[in-house]
Amino acid sequence: MSEAQQAVLTLYEPHPGQVALHSCPARFRYAACGRRWGKSIGCVNELAKYSWENQVYPGWWVAPTYRQARKPFFLTLRAFKPAIASYKSSEELSIEWKSGGRTEFVSAEKYENLRGEGVGFMVVDEAAFVSKVAFEQVLRPMLSDTMGRMLAVGTPKGKAGSWFYEGWLRGNEAEEPDYVSFHFPTASSPYIAAAEIEEVRRTLPADVFAQEYEAAFLEDAAG
């Protein structure tokens, strides 16, 4: 038996909100999440699962900055070390799986450099901080010839000019079956104490609490 045949991908135990997110079959999912809800670990596991099971088109993690892309990259390395064949960790962040699949972790800062490759499944992390032009001109077209799927997640940052908010609205419309939206405030995580939620509610400005912990799209925030 080969090393690849012996390797096993062991996934995490999701909480109920994460189960709902993973089990949704919609092609485009938008999830507005409060801080510390568990989006990173959930998305790392879903992307690893896709990449393990698919060898034709890679899976991508897109972050607003290179530094933000490094955190899920190293989280993936730690969580799935036995299933990883090789990786690159300098300027290029990529993982080759023993199954033959591949995962890339990229930054949307210099989005023009991302052109050219088809992607089968894309996680866009902190999506509200990824520019609209990067999404419309580069990221979205990467899913066209592959009929790829996308999971856009993050804490909201206003409404005006936000592709994340526009997509999230589409996901709430019955006539958009390819789009589904989720709203996960921090309090919906079973791992954050209720007393902590009440403490930040009491001490933070109301608009900050609404955006960061209740995952609310605010009218008066910059888009």
Side-chain angles (χ1 to χ4, degrees), residues 147-194:
M147 288 302 292
R149 301 172 64 240
M150 183 189 72
L151 172 54
V153 300
T155 303
K157 186 178 180 291
K159 297 180 178 180
S162 170
W163 70 269
F164 182 48
Y165 176 64
E166 292 169 359
W168 190 81
L169 287 180
R170 293 182 74 178
N172 288 296
E173 298 293 335
E175 62 269 24
E176 296 278 8
D178 285 341
Y179 290 74
V180 171
S181 294
F182 297 88
H183 176 234
F184 298 120
T186 302
S188 67
S189 168
Y191 305 119
I192 307 297

Side-chain angles (χ1 to χ4, degrees), residues 42-177:
C43 291
V44 159
N45 273 263
E46 184 163 339
L47 184 58
K49 182 177 185 295
Y50 166 83
S51 299
W52 180 262
E53 296 175 348
N54 294 272
Q55 292 78 48
V56 178
Y57 299 113
W60 270 33
W61 184 291
V62 182
T65 68
Y66 176 76
R67 183 175 181 179
Q68 288 171 302
R70 288 177 63 83
K71 178 181 176 181
F73 170 74
F74 286 109
L75 178 58
T76 302
L77 289 184
R78 291 193 300 270
F80 304 109
K81 184 177 179 179
I84 293 172
S86 63
Y87 63 89
K88 296 179 182 178
S89 60
S90 56
E91 290 187 6
E92 179 182 344
L93 303 175
S94 65
I95 292 174
E96 299 287 340
W97 299 87
K98 291 179 178 178
S99 67
R102 177 164 52 96
T103 306
E104 304 280 348
F105 297 79
V106 304
S107 162
E109 290 175 289
K110 298 180 180 179
Y111 56 86
E112 290 288 355
N113 294 341
L114 303 179
R115 290 178 178 269
E117 186 166 22
V119 175
F121 176 54
M122 180 183 293
V123 171
V124 185
D125 187 26
E126 294 300 349
F129 295 85
V130 171
S131 73
K132 188 172 186 177
V133 65
F135 173 71
E136 293 182 342
Q137 295 186 12
V138 178
L139 300 178
R140 177 60 182 88
M142 287 179 168
L143 303 172
S144 291
D145 60 336
T146 66
M147 288 302 292
R149 301 172 64 240
M150 183 189 72
L151 172 54
V153 300
T155 303
K157 186 178 180 291
K159 297 180 178 180
S162 170
W163 70 269
F164 182 48
Y165 176 64
E166 292 169 359
W168 190 81
L169 287 180
R170 293 182 74 178
N172 288 296
E173 298 293 335
E175 62 269 24
E176 296 278 8

